Amino acid sequence: MQILDGKKTSEEIKLEIKAEVDEIRRKGGKIPHLAAILVGSNGASMTYVNSKIKDCEEVGFKSSLIKLSDTVSEKELLRKIRELNADEDVDGFIVQLPLPQHIEEKKVIKTIKPEKDVDGFHPENVGKMALNLPGFLPATPYGIIQLLQRYNVDTTGKHCVVVGRSHIVGLPMSILMGRNAYPGNCTVTLTHSRTVNFKEICRSADILIVALGKPNHITADMVKDGVVIVDVGITRVPDTSKKAGYRIVGDVKFDEVAPKCLFITPVPGGVGPMTRASLLKNTLLASKR
Ligand code: GUN
């Protein structure tokens, strides 16, 4: 069993990005600038956005954090997005999800200029991903792809089972793993809440990518020997022994599943840091364009 170490790999990627930024600075070029809009005060969203800003500092990017109240109107949020679309200094920006109920997420995503959509959520970028055209890949799937690539995980001809069909992870992951590219060229099964024979399908997976949000859902009896597992789950579970009052738990029961794996991502320290590094990669790409 080998750990797919997202923390270590993301540190390597950040060093590569920092070296590029140092070179840009030396030549007097434009420093990449990422902006983030955070609506409301959801604890997890605040943590994620603050981490993204901290990452920018680490690699030498410029960053801006725009905090809006959870009572902000949809119209006001869209106005802010148009302002960032027009701001020539901002290379890319994200609107942290989820948004309050009164704001229509689809409308928000469609308002972001595709050239600045470093989350890769705009329909234009989703279409480009599906057609294997250059665009922005969503950060979590992009992070997973890079992790598989850097560990030379064999994917060609394998049965890849993706658990969960979210627009952020499951759906794009199913598209990417089926692409005629490496990593990819898998035979893909996308499972979801209506899937019949879920356990049997998981047991037939050579590569199992789990993005369900249910702590410890995948147990040892649900996977075969030699499987490659990517655990995207990051649920906060109350834990009074921790300073923060919670710990992060993945979708896979790591201790019992790991011994059966060829490769497995830990939680934390697997997909999470790769997602963050991928957002930086997309921002650097946006600034070059
Ligand atoms: N919420 C959970 N994951 C993400 C992400 O990758 N981007 C944004 N904008 N919001 C999220």
Side-chain angles (χ1 to χ4, degrees), residues 48 52 94-98 119 121 139-140 168 275:
Y48 297 148
K52 290 169 186 179
I94 64 157
V95 179
Q96 187 66 27
L97 305 177
D119 254 334
F121 292 167
T140 299
I168 296 182
T275 297

Side-chain angles (χ1 to χ4, degrees), residues 117 119-142 145 166-181 282 289:
D117 169 40
D119 254 334
F121 292 167
H122 190 282
E124 185 172 312
N125 284 315
V126 178
K128 284 179 170 171
M129 171 185 62
L131 296 172
N132 220 351
L133 295 170
F136 295 112
L137 298 182
T140 299
Y142 187 21
I145 289 291
S166 75
H167 290 175
I168 296 182
V169 186
L171 178 70
M173 217 49 239
S174 69
I175 294 171
L176 291 170
M177 294 307 278
R179 286 199 305 189
N180 185 4
N282 276 346
R289 284 181 187 157

